[in-house]
Amino acid sequence: MNSIINIALVLLTIAVMEALSWAMHKYLFHGPLWFIHKTHHQQKHGLLELNDIFSIGFAALALWLMWVGHISLDYHFWIGTGISIYGTIYFIFHDWFIHNRFKAFKSSNRYLMGIRRAHKIHHKSMEKNPSEEFGLLVVGKKWFRR
């Protein structure tokens, strides 16, 4: 029973991370933290960008939570694990597949292509506003056309 609760906590954390990331992206990154996030909307000049500080912050939080809960494997550990898994998904989908920070893998999967289309629309503007589609894994149905 404990394993089921731990798995549920990890899955719930991943879902909360998607919702939290969407809200932070829309209201903070394209708001008061634009001065950092704008590096992600500009032409690339190297492997890293100032915007990566957000990923480093979430990684630090996840590692701290896992450290706090590693002895008893309490909820801290499983929340940290969920954040880490979301971070891995983010890296694979966003940095590798969408932005080709590394040699991208090819896919004609309808879901993956929809995610890519939505993100490309998000980056159509190099400015703070207007902008649309702030999610990573969940985007509008219109992007999943055939």
Side-chain angles (χ1 to χ4, degrees):
M1 184 63 159
N2 219 11
S3 295
I4 293 171
I5 292 170
N6 294 338
I7 291 168
L9 189 54
V10 168
L11 294 174
L12 178 63
T13 300
I14 292 168
V16 168
M17 284 300 297
E18 175 67 6
L20 180 65
S21 294
W22 179 91
M24 288 178 65
H25 191 181
K26 181 170 181 154
Y27 298 111
L28 293 177
F29 298 173
H30 282 260
L33 297 178
W34 176 252
F35 71 99
I36 297 172
H37 184 63
K38 71 179 177 183
T39 63
H40 181 60
H41 284 262
Q42 296 169 341
Q43 190 161 2
K44 304 291 182 266
H45 300 289
L47 186 61
L48 297 175
E49 55 195 41
L50 185 57
N51 187 69
D52 292 332
I53 195 81
F54 298 122
S55 296
I56 293 167
F58 277 116
L61 173 62
L63 289 171
W64 177 78
L65 285 166
M66 288 190 293
W67 176 256
V68 167
H70 83 281
I71 300 291
S72 62
L73 294 181
D74 67 8
Y75 69 95
H76 293 94
F77 180 83
W78 300 108
I79 291 171
T81 300
I83 294 170
S84 294
I85 291 170
Y86 184 82
T88 302
I89 292 168
Y90 182 92
F91 171 77
I92 292 168
F93 273 78
H94 184 264
D95 292 342
W96 191 9
F97 179 67
I98 294 170
H99 285 291
N100 301 318
R101 279 182 136 179
F102 307 92
K103 186 170 174 45
F105 55 91
K106 304 283 186 211
S107 176
S108 59
N109 176 278
R110 188 172 174 212
Y111 172 74
L112 293 177
M113 296 310 294
I115 294 295
R116 179 179 266 168
R117 274 187 212 100
H119 202 81
K120 295 294 182 186
I121 287 299
H122 176 76
H123 279 271
K124 195 173 187 179
S125 172
M126 300 295 256
E127 302 298 323
K128 183 177 176 178
N129 292 309
S131 198
E132 61 180 309
E133 291 300 345
F134 297 93
L136 174 65
L137 302 174
V138 179
V139 298
K141 288 190 290 186
K142 66 183 178 181
W143 306 112
F144 299 105
R145 68 184 186 278
R146 289 245 173 221

